[in-house]
Amino acid sequence: MTAPLSFDIPAQPLASALDRYGDATGREVLYNPALAQGRISEAVKGSFEPETALQLLLAGTGLAARFLKDNSFVLVPAPEAAGPPEGSAAALAHQYYGVVQARLRDALCRTSGARPGSYRIAALVWIAPSGTVSRFERLGSAGTVELDRGIDNALRHFSVGAPVPPGFAQPVLIVVLPQASGVTMSCGATALPHAAGGVR
């Protein structure tokens, strides 16, 4: 349970409100600046848990936050309201997400200048019905122009190799995290794990 913090953030342009939120919580925000353009935050005044404060701040903006394990968060378009998926559809979507992760990890490992293990990056990926990437947005920089170019190249030519199942939520949030000290990235492995969560 996160301890409540005191917030006093007036309604204002969303980008500056997110800066104020980051100052108050110490949490990093990853987002495409175009998402914040023309959007106004709600005022947040009082004592709230950081997650609750952020939800209040984003209310009515059409955006939502996905929190990462390191307490940073990614700003994404809020999913459109939909009825609850049937169990089989949810299971298929979960399985497909695992395939997306494994295929992307393979693509990064095969792309010169984008081999994962030392950098942290987040991206939103839109997958066409055929399984190819129709659009992507890299959120921030991996640290160097060369790395960013390699990652963009891998995303641009990325294909899941399987059609998108019905009800699969998009865009897909992909998070690539650096490996812990002493852990070697298994890019040479023939079988890639279908882990839940971000690409690792």
Side-chain angles (χ1 to χ4, degrees), residues 97-156:
Y97 185 69
V99 174
V100 171
Q101 293 182 84
R103 294 282 184 255
L104 179 59
R105 182 175 172 183
D106 187 43
L108 290 171
C109 287
R110 292 172 186 273
T111 302
S112 176
R115 192 178 180 89
S118 62
Y119 60 83
R120 174 179 179 272
I121 195 71
L124 295 175
V125 177
W126 285 260
I127 303 171
S130 64
T132 59
V133 168
S134 60
R135 177 183 161 207
F136 71 89
E137 291 180 10
R138 178 170 41 78
L139 306 176
S141 171
T144 68
V145 173
E146 291 77 14
L147 260 178
D148 291 345
R149 187 179 296 123
I151 293 166
D152 288 350
N153 188 47
L155 289 171
R156 190 172 293 113

Side-chain angles (χ1 to χ4, degrees), residues 31-199:
Y31 67 99
N32 182 333
L35 277 179
Q37 288 180 1
R39 300 181 195 267
I40 302 297
S41 75
E42 289 292 326
V44 181
K45 187 176 179 64
S47 182
F48 303 99
E49 293 179 4
E51 293 83 357
T52 302
L54 185 58
Q55 289 171 357
L56 293 171
L57 186 145
L58 293 174
T61 64
L63 301 176
R66 296 186 188 174
F67 286 88
L68 309 178
K69 288 184 178 179
D70 62 358
N71 280 335
S72 61
F73 63 92
V74 177
L75 212 57
V76 297
E80 294 181 11
E86 296 179 9
S88 58
L92 281 173
H94 183 74
Q95 183 180 21
Y96 190 78
Y97 185 69
V99 174
V100 171
Q101 293 182 84
R103 294 282 184 255
L104 179 59
R105 182 175 172 183
D106 187 43
L108 290 171
C109 287
R110 292 172 186 273
T111 302
S112 176
R115 192 178 180 89
S118 62
Y119 60 83
R120 174 179 179 272
I121 195 71
L124 295 175
V125 177
W126 285 260
I127 303 171
S130 64
T132 59
V133 168
S134 60
R135 177 183 161 207
F136 71 89
E137 291 180 10
R138 178 170 41 78
L139 306 176
S141 171
T144 68
V145 173
E146 291 77 14
L147 260 178
D148 291 345
R149 187 179 296 123
I151 293 166
D152 288 350
N153 188 47
L155 289 171
R156 190 172 293 113
H157 298 99
F158 172 58
S159 175
V160 182
V164 176
F168 184 70
Q170 300 215 48
V172 182
L173 170 63
I174 297 293
V175 180
V176 181
L177 299 174
Q179 295 299 296
S181 178
V183 177
T184 303
M185 185 69 175
S186 56
C187 277
T190 53
L192 294 168
H194 294 186
V199 174

